Amino acid sequence: MNPIIEIKDLNKNFGVRPAVEYLTLTVMEGDIFGFVGPNGAGKTSTIRMMATLLQPTSGDITIAGHSILTSQRQVRAAIGYMPDFFGVYNDMKVWEYLDFFGACYQIPPDERLQLIDDLLALVDLTHRREDMTDDLSRGMKQRLSLARTLIHDPQVLILDEPASGLDPRARVEIRQLMVELARLGKTIFFSTHILTDVAEISTRVGIIEAGKLVAQGTPEELQQILMPHRLIHITVLERAEEIAEHLRRMENITQIRYLQPKNNGNRSLLEIEFNGDDLMLSAILSGLIEAGFPVIHFSEDSRDLEEVFMRATKGVVT
Amino acid sequence: MSETTLETAPNRSRWVNLIQNPVMIKELRSRMRGNRAFLVLSAYIALLSVGIGMIFLVIAASNNSVGTDPEIYQIFGKAIFGAVVGMELITISFIAPALTAGAIASERERQTYDLLRTTLLSARSLVFGKLFSALSYILLLLFAAFPLQSLAFLFGGVAIEEMIIASVLLVISAIAFCSFGLFFSSLTKRTLVSTVLAYAFAILLIFGLPLFILTAVGMFNSFFFGFNTGPSAMMEVILIFGGWILVSINPIATAVVSEVLLIQEQAVFYTSLPLPSGSTFPIISPWISFTIFYLLLSILLIWFSIRRVRRVEK
């Protein structure tokens, strides 16, 4: 895969206050890149610079090989931008809205009608084609906005908080759409502070805080870097002390804790911190079974991105 | 950031770009949707009809020779023509700044401005789209008044030159007032602020500036030449010239003076002004200086508006 977005030493100051500081990151073609950070971290400033709406103080961004400093028109042709607000004309019909933006991207009129029908089908708004945009629900407006970003078939979608303010169903629909678009070959760069969105669909993640990129990589890489220990939960029937002793003798287990089981009394729940690979983990389970311990549950606790985020950030806001 | 990269595709002719300007099409579509445009147009025509009817009644009531004197019909014709043009000028002055004062500012208020700026739509297309959609609506109002204006031709007394000059004045006024609104709309973030500024600018330019210059010239004259003596010959020339420029700034004054020159001297393009020394010098008719002044001012304001829209936020 080739790099499609390259941000190099990007700085943005508003007066004396730095909004983005020496931001450098690369997004590869086909990635769903989740750009995570608390409010005021510099996400929207970065995205506005990517969308050619804001001039960087220094540094550069290259999208599909074009610099935002020297080739704005080419960058605009390569991106589909969705801001964190709807930006819908209320006095237009749904199809007119898409038709207008199609014309703004210089798509010939005879091609636009079929294109509009295809896009409405993609975002599941065909049945609202003739309705006024003002009559759409919030989720529908967001889906219409997403259809707008696709009207000129851009290589890269830049979405600022695409799921913010939506109800759970609409959020899931938007997430599904983003995955579908990535499957169709689009590179998606989206900002959010909803970590479940990032965990579920991102192939790569960048965490920004106080204008600085504090971590980047795949969700798994971030977990390994920021939280090297794996957490294993073992539920056993009786002999908990014996089992703990057995585990202590094994390599790669750094800590053992007793946790209370959720249900009845003869069960014990052990939590172990482990820093080995899957083969070693399998060996631990086999060892417990061979030794005849009454193990009824053995699972790895998949630590969510929230913990990774908390470890990566310090709660600093510029 | 580079500005040259923002322009529209070079492979399309300017004419096609103008006809297919998406902003103009969108604005016209929105403006003509529903019954608002129809109601405004109907009210405007009704108002003009009532005005013409009243003029007709007043002239008929004050003259006993209706039906016998053919000259009275010419008076009818001139009065109707003058009234329609005057009312159209007033309408344009009121409507044109309002039509464009929200052009750019409302896009900012609706949060659609950023969306437009990230498309391939150039700053020039955006500004001209807004301008031409407003002008199209004003032209619709002017065309709708044509049947009423043509009543003047039934009565006679109106020359084709008057018709052409009046049309030029109306169109130039529309362009100028629209460009005032557009300029302030590109400067401000709120439609209300740009509307107030556009009207204030128009009022200041049309009434305030002449008043200020007249007062300044009067004070200058009194200060240098005393209160009891008349102005010097040089000062008189300056005053005549100044007065001519002031006439050319105000659309109604321009229309009246041009009409008077046309009737009294049959002067369409230029006339001669008498100097205190007894000699005369030629000077262009006010409608021409009005056209030049407002066209240049409009071009300047539109150019500034485009630059303002093209600017990338820093």
Side-chain angles (χ1 to χ4, degrees):
Chain A
M1 281 196 297
N2 300 318
I4 195 156
I5 302 173
E6 290 177 287
I7 302 178
K8 288 176 197 157
D9 294 326
L10 190 72
N11 280 287
K12 179 67 204 173
N13 297 338
F14 292 110
V16 290
R17 187 179 66 82
V20 178
E21 287 186 80
Y22 298 100
L23 182 70
T24 297
L25 66 83
T26 303
V27 178
M28 309 303 279
E29 226 170 325
D31 267 349
I32 301 182
F33 192 95
F35 197 43
V36 195
N39 291 332
K43 298 189 299 289
T44 298
S45 296
T46 305
I47 280 185
R48 283 175 61 78
M49 284 186 273
M50 291 170 77
T52 71
L53 291 169
L54 187 64
Q55 194 167 357
T57 306
S58 66
D60 195 4
I61 302 173
T62 309
I63 298 177
H66 306 293
S67 162
I68 60 155
L69 300 176
T70 55
S71 312
Q72 288 174 322
R73 187 175 170 79
Q74 287 82 350
V75 170
R76 288 172 183 177
I79 64 165
Y81 166 64
M82 187 164 96
D84 59 347
F85 41 83
F86 291 131
V88 167
Y89 294 99
N90 291 332
D91 53 355
M92 289 177 109
K93 291 181 178 178
V94 167
W95 75 267
E96 287 174 348
Y97 179 75
L98 292 178
D99 186 62
F100 169 60
F101 279 99
C104 288
Y105 280 108
Q106 298 172 356
I107 298 166
D110 49 340
E111 287 175 28
R112 289 205 293 266
L113 285 180
Q114 184 57 48
L115 189 60
I116 289 165
D117 287 344
D118 292 346
L119 285 173
L120 288 177
L122 180 72
V123 298
D124 196 20
L125 284 174
T126 306
H127 60 296
R128 305 301 295 264
R129 191 182 191 280
E130 296 296 326
D131 289 352
M132 302 300 283
T133 56
D134 200 25
D135 297 335
L136 299 182
S137 69
R138 211 176 158 86
M140 284 176 176
K141 280 182 184 171
Q142 200 72 327
R143 295 208 310 264
L144 179 63
S145 295
L146 201 52
R148 174 187 54 71
T149 64
L150 295 165
I151 192 98
H152 58 299
D153 194 21
Q155 292 167 270
V156 179
L157 297 182
I158 299 172
L159 316 175
D160 194 1
E161 304 276 0
S164 90
L166 299 182
D167 62 43
R169 174 173 287 277
R171 262 175 54 194
V172 170
E173 285 170 354
I174 283 284
R175 279 209 302 261
Q176 285 170 346
L177 258 175
M178 285 163 68
V179 172
E180 175 66 11
L181 291 171
R183 200 185 58 75
L184 293 171
K186 307 289 178 202
T187 303
I188 300 174
F189 184 100
F190 76 104
S191 76
T192 186
H193 55 256
I194 304 169
L195 292 165
T196 29
D197 291 347
V198 182
E200 288 198 16
I201 62 169
S202 300
T203 53
R204 285 171 59 78
V205 181
I207 299 177
I208 185 172
E209 186 181 38
K212 292 173 187 155
L213 193 72
V214 290
Q216 67 165 319
T218 64
E220 295 77 25
E221 281 170 355
L222 288 183
Q223 273 189 4
Q224 277 181 7
I225 294 164
L226 296 165
M227 305 174 70
H229 299 297
R230 298 166 79 174
L231 275 185
I232 312 297
H233 286 167
I234 306 169
T235 309
V236 292
L237 290 172
E238 301 162 341
R239 298 169 67 191
E241 285 293 337
E242 261 184 79
I243 293 169
E245 200 53 43
H246 172 84
L247 291 170
R248 270 190 201 102
R249 288 197 294 272
M250 301 190 90
E251 280 182 28
N252 302 104
I253 292 177
T254 54
Q255 211 162 14
I256 301 171
R257 282 182 292 270
Y258 291 97
L259 302 177
Q260 277 300 105
K262 283 180 183 170
N263 41 14
N264 54 49
N266 63 342
R267 288 184 177 196
S268 295
L269 176 62
L270 296 170
E271 184 182 74
I272 63 171
E273 276 191 17
F274 168 74
N275 55 15
D277 58 17
D278 285 349
L279 270 176
M280 292 173 182
L281 193 61
S282 167
I284 291 174
L285 179 60
S286 320
L288 288 171
I289 302 297
E290 279 166 15
F293 291 118
V295 178
I296 59 167
H297 188 83
F298 186 98
S299 69
E300 182 175 0
D301 181 33
S302 57
R303 296 181 176 189
D304 58 17
L305 207 61
E306 218 159 271
E307 281 187 64
V308 175
F309 181 75
M310 292 305 284
R311 290 228 180 167
T313 59
K314 300 182 183 74
V316 182
V317 177
T318 56
Chain B
M1 289 192 188
S2 163
E3 290 179 348
T4 51
T5 53
L6 290 169
E7 296 312 315
T8 47
N11 55 345
R12 292 200 307 184
S13 73
R14 281 171 192 273
W15 178 244
V16 172
N17 276 335
L18 176 63
I19 295 290
Q20 294 186 351
N21 185 310
V23 176
M24 187 176 78
I25 293 169
K26 177 189 84 70
E27 292 287 315
L28 287 176
R29 197 180 261 163
S30 298
R31 188 161 284 143
M32 300 311 288
R33 174 163 281 145
N35 51 13
R36 195 181 59 187
F38 169 76
L39 289 175
V40 170
L41 201 58
S42 303
Y44 165 71
I45 297 296
L47 213 67
L48 281 184
S49 307
V50 168
I52 290 168
M54 284 174 70
I55 287 167
F56 188 87
L57 288 174
V58 167
I59 295 174
S62 61
N63 216 310
N64 296 326
S65 51
V66 178
T68 55
D69 183 4
E71 275 193 14
I72 195 72
Y73 293 110
Q74 294 198 350
I75 293 171
F76 274 140
K78 277 203 179 301
I80 288 170
F81 180 76
V84 172
V85 171
M87 283 192 273
E88 282 176 334
L89 261 179
I90 291 166
T91 309
I92 287 172
S93 315
F94 275 103
I95 284 183
L99 283 177
T100 49
I104 311 291
S106 70
E107 297 285 353
R108 291 197 178 102
E109 283 174 331
R110 270 192 296 225
Q111 299 184 310
T112 45
Y113 186 68
D114 281 354
L115 303 185
L116 292 177
R117 299 296 297 122
T118 52
T119 66
L120 300 182
L121 188 78
S122 67
R124 197 174 52 195
S125 293
L126 174 57
V127 169
F128 277 114
K130 295 283 184 181
L131 177 69
F132 287 130
S133 70
L135 283 176
S136 305
Y137 190 66
I138 291 172
L139 282 180
L140 175 70
L141 293 181
L142 295 181
F143 280 125
F146 258 15
L148 289 172
Q149 212 169 39
S150 63
L151 282 175
F153 293 105
L154 286 180
F155 291 111
V158 180
I160 190 74
E161 292 90 341
E162 290 172 81
M163 186 74 187
I164 291 168
I165 290 171
S167 301
V168 169
L169 287 179
L170 288 170
V171 170
I172 296 296
S173 300
I175 293 172
F177 282 105
C178 282
S179 64
F180 295 170
L182 207 54
F183 172 68
F184 286 106
S185 190
S186 70
L187 279 186
T188 62
K189 289 183 175 168
R190 313 286 305 175
T191 302
L192 183 66
V193 177
S194 61
T195 307
V196 170
L197 286 174
Y199 280 117
F201 181 73
I203 290 167
L204 272 176
L205 187 68
I206 292 167
F207 300 110
L209 186 64
L211 210 66
F212 172 77
I213 294 174
L214 275 177
T215 312
V217 168
M219 285 173 69
F220 178 81
N221 188 49
S222 306
F223 183 77
F224 284 100
F225 306 103
F227 290 97
N228 298 324
T229 56
S232 66
M234 185 61 189
M235 196 60 204
E236 271 194 35
V237 172
I238 293 172
L239 283 175
I240 291 170
F241 243 130
W244 204 253
I245 291 167
L246 296 183
V247 164
S248 304
I249 290 176
N250 189 305
I252 294 171
T254 301
V256 171
V257 174
S258 299
E259 174 74 358
V260 168
L261 286 175
L262 204 59
I263 292 169
Q264 290 183 349
E265 302 177 24
Q266 284 77 48
V268 179
F269 298 107
Y270 65 91
T271 186
S272 297
L273 286 182
L275 289 177
S277 59
S279 60
T280 60
F281 71 93
I283 193 162
I284 52 173
S285 188
W287 72 270
I288 298 175
S289 39
F290 173 90
T291 303
I292 294 168
F293 173 75
Y294 276 102
L295 264 185
L296 289 178
L297 182 63
S298 301
I299 289 167
L300 194 68
L301 292 178
I302 291 165
W303 181 73
F304 269 121
S305 306
I306 293 171
R307 275 186 67 88
R308 181 79 190 167
V309 170
R310 191 177 279 166
R311 203 176 61 111
V312 176
E313 190 187 329
K314 289 184 178 171

